[in-house]
């Protein structure tokens, strides 16, 4: 029931074919089979190993809450993905999930952790590593790496249960104090199994091919699988050091951006370039048979010249390097998708892993690949592995025979009532007015070219702001894109994305129908391009979010009200944050961001906050133009 059979070689196959999970009971590792039964069950999912630390909680197969830790700590991505901070757990996100469930940590039945360190520890004594894992007597490993801190990395993961019960921040004591590691069953879940579960189980399909693409897991970087009902089977995998995600990270660094953070900027930069270095990347990436590929670990400086430093200007070389990487990534993944289709012959494809956040790539798979339907997990990066690990364990432990949860929205984070918001605003001595018709009054401000912070309902789970924690603006004036980049202190080449009424999407964007998670690009229809120039990227596309009444009623009403005033059912939607900061979570976060940023109004719940010098038009920004190549 829900077993993820892994059809690959060696230790990896042995471990997972025998036992889908590894449990920790104190310091003793135990292989376990499916022991639970169909009784009420609470499962907590945790991602903590690399970055995008997150937690979620399920009760009897139903998702109650999910959030990234960065939203509470104000540290973007939660932490950097380095071995020395693996011990850090997403305590704030866990605390929020426990709060929503109305329970103490000791009430949890199962904890699913989205990395399995045992895949890196030999099972037999003859393979025992010479280097012992610190604080874990008798356990060692040999990864073939010359980096001595990897044993410390594994030690921190193996001790995660102990860290959970005694490493929590003091102010979160209420829901953690007194918990013991014997209160629950701990499951280390294969990282790519967690990605795969996050892609298939919440998807709208009963049967689908599964593709995961990211930087790294324990052993794999790419996996192929198939899901049917409550079961998944892994068909094949590509193992480290070969990784499309790690190559994209390396080029991100070479272009002067922050790896494991700024890869989306490389995707945006690519639109301005020509694929002059595609031949070089085709030499670096070699696609073989049966879904395999290899990547040569070249010195990028020797191959492409000196790396760009952060504040250096962009040149044609940088645009062309980004474009070449993006093109060859698309070519490569299309070959992998063709392979997966040939071995599965099913019409649906689901995807997860950090590479699946590349919306240009996703559109190429949609348009040029063999699958009829493509669904991407909206939290496709590592934060989504908390969700996947929890679903994986929940389905197995309850012996579920069918899928029970479809992820048709991402609003699983904290929410604040009008009473709570007003209490905070009064306490902070922030002047505000009560709005009678939030959607209608907000639409008037937007039609007047004001930029507003929009704080409504439950916060989004995943990297995209999708109408709960957004900055909104009109797309009609072409200068608005540049103005928003100035407001958010972003690079000039960065595009802004549109949200459109789902019922009108096809009238403005070619073949757009249902795209609620802003994970695909669409061509802006030529006859509409002059009406929404601010959201049309230099290549004629836009990363579209569609919205309907069921997903977010107030957001939908706002779009309808704006359409009634302007005739345009489209708004700019960008994330409610500024440079280097996560998306806002609480009313305090929203007010702090608003008062320290040059936008005009904040609509938070039913309340309106404005600035005396709020911009009634953008004539003072007459020198700002849509982004052009910076050369």
């Amino acid at each position: 029931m829900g077993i993820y059979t892994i059809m690959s070689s060696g230790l990896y196959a042995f471990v997972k074919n025998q036992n889908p999970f590894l449990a920790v009971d104190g310091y003793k590792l135990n292989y376990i089979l499916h022991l639970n039964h169909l009784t009420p069950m609470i499962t907590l999912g945790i991602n903590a190993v690399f970055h995008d630390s997150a937690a979620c909680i399920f009760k009897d197969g139903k998702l109650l809450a999910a959030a990234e830790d960065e939203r509470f700590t104000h540290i973007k991505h939660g932490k950097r993905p380095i071995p020395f901070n693996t011990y850090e757990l997403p305590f704030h996100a866990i605390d929020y999930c426990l709060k929503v469930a109305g329970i103490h940590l000791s009430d949890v039945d199962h904890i699913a952790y989205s990395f399995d360190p045992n895949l890196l520890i030999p099972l037999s004594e003859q393979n025992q590593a010479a280097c012992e894992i610190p604080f874990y007597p008798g356990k060692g490993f040999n990864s073939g790496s010359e980096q001595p801190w990897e044993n410390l990395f594994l030690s921190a993961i193996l001790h995660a249960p102990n860290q959970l019960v005694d490493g929590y921040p003091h102010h979160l004591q209420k829901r953690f104090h007194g918990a013991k590691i014997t209160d629950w069953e701990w499951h280390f879940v294969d990282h790519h199994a967690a990605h795969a579960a996050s892609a298939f189980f919440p998807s709208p399909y009963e049967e689908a091919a599964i593709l995961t693409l990211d930087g790294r897991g324990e052993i794999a970087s790419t996996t192929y699988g198939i899901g049917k009902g409550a079961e998944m089977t892994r068909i094949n995998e590509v193992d480290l050091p070969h990784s499309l995600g790690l190559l994209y990270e390396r080029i991100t660094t070479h272009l002067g951006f922050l790896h494991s953070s700024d890869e989306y900027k490389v995707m945006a930069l690519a639109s301005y370039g020509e694929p002059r270095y595609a031949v070089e990347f085709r030499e670096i990436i070699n696609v073989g048979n049966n879904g395999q590929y290899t990547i040569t670990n070249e010195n990028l400086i020797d191959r492409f010249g000196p790396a760009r430093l952060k504040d250096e200007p962009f040149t044609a070389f940088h645009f062309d390097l980004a474009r070449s990487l993006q093109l060859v990534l698309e070519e490569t993944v299309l070959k992998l998708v063709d392979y997966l289709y040939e071995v599965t012959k099913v019409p649906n494809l689901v995807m997860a892993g950090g590479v699946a956040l590349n919306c240009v790539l996703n559109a190429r798979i949609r348009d040029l690949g063999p699958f009829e339907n493509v669904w991407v997990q909206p939290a496709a990066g590592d934060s989504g592995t908390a969700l996947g690990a929890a679903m994986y364990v929940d389905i197995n432990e309850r012996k579920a025979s069918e899928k029970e949860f479809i992820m048709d929205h991402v609003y699983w984070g904290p929410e604040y009532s009008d009473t709570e918001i007003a209490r905070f605003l009064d306490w902070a001595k922030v002047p505000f007015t009560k709005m009678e018709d939030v959607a209608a009054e907000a639409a008037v401000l937007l039609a007047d070219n004001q930029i507003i912070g929009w704080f409504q309902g439950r916060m989004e789970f995943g990297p995209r702001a999708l109408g709960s924690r957004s900055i909104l603006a009109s797309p009609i004036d072409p200068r608005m894109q540049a103005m928003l980049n100035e407001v958010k202190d972003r690079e000039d080449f960065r595009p802004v994305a549109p949200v459109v009424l789902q019922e009108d999407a096809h009238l403005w964007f070619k073949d757009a129908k249902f795209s609620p998670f802003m994970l695909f690009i669409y061509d802006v229809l030529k006859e509409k391009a002059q009406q929404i120039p601010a959201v049309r990227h230099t290549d004629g596309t836009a990363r579209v979010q569609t919205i309907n009444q069921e997903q977010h009623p107030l957001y939908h009403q706002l779009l309808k009200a704006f359409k009634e005033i302007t005739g345009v059912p489209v708004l700019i939607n960008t994330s409610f944050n500024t440079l280097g900061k996560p998306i806002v979570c609480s009313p305090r976060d929203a007010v702090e961001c608003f008062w320290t940023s040059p936008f005009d109004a904040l609509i938070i719940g039913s309340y309106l906050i404005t600035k005396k010098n709020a911009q009634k038009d953008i004539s003072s920004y007459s020198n700002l133009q849509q982004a052009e190549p910076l050369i």
Side-chain angles (χ1 to χ4, degrees), residues 292-429:
Q292 296 297 306
Y293 63 83
T294 60
I295 294 178
T296 59
N297 186 25
E298 296 193 25
N299 185 306
L300 296 181
I301 294 176
D302 291 343
R303 170 71 85 159
F304 296 116
R308 173 184 170 269
L309 297 179
K310 178 182 181 297
D311 295 321
E312 290 181 346
F314 291 100
T315 67
F317 165 75
H318 300 121
F319 296 118
D320 294 345
L321 187 67
R323 177 72 185 104
S324 302
L325 170 66
Q326 179 68 30
L327 174 65
V328 178
L329 173 71
E330 294 166 16
E331 293 175 349
T332 301
V333 176
L334 281 169
K335 293 176 183 177
L336 306 186
V337 167
D338 285 342
Y339 156 76
L340 182 55
Y341 181 75
E342 287 302 313
V343 297
T344 61
K345 295 296 186 181
V346 295
N348 307 312
L349 172 67
V350 296
M351 297 171 57
V355 178
L357 289 173
N358 190 308
C359 60
V360 179
L361 169 65
N362 295 343
R364 298 293 179 266
I365 295 171
R366 176 199 65 203
D367 296 339
L368 303 177
F371 290 94
E372 295 177 19
N373 306 298
V374 181
W375 190 87
V376 180
Q377 165 56 237
D382 277 1
S383 63
T385 63
L387 179 77
M391 294 194 75
Y392 184 47
V393 168
D394 174 82
I395 286 172
N396 278 275
E397 292 301 317
R398 291 188 304 107
K399 301 185 183 299
S401 59
E402 59 185 19
K403 296 172 63 172
E404 299 171 316
F405 167 70
I406 302 300
M407 195 172 185
D408 53 8
H409 67 80
V410 294
Y411 309 114
W412 298 105
E415 64 180 332
Y416 299 86
S417 67
D418 275 358
T419 300
E420 291 172 307
I421 293 169
R423 185 184 303 124
F424 168 75
L425 296 177
D426 283 333
W427 176 83
K429 297 180 171 59

Side-chain angles (χ1 to χ4, degrees), residues 39 69 182 220 258 260 422 426 488 546 587:
T39 58
D69 211 48
T182 55
L258 180 63
S260 301
D426 283 333
K488 297 188 67 175
T546 60

Side-chain angles (χ1 to χ4, degrees), residues 450-480:
Q450 294 198 38
I451 296 172
I452 67 171
W454 178 257
F455 185 104
Q456 302 292 338
R458 295 189 73 173
M459 182 181 69
E460 302 91 341
F461 178 58
R464 306 278 191 253
L466 297 173
S468 285
R469 304 292 187 272
S470 293
I471 295 174
L472 303 177
S474 167
I476 298 171
D477 192 305
R479 293 169 294 181
M480 188 59 79

Side-chain angles (χ1 to χ4, degrees), residues 94-107:
I94 293 170
D95 179 74
Y96 159 68
C97 290
L98 296 174
K99 178 182 178 182
V100 171
I103 61 173
H104 186 272
L105 180 62
S106 60
D107 297 320

Side-chain angles (χ1 to χ4, degrees), residues 489-510:
D489 197 19
R490 306 194 319 176
E491 296 89 350
D492 291 346
F493 65 83
R494 299 269 298 279
V496 290
V499 57
V500 60
L501 291 171
Q502 182 179 313
E503 57 267 33
D504 290 339
H506 67 288
L507 301 174
W508 294 79
F509 305 96
K510 184 180 179 182

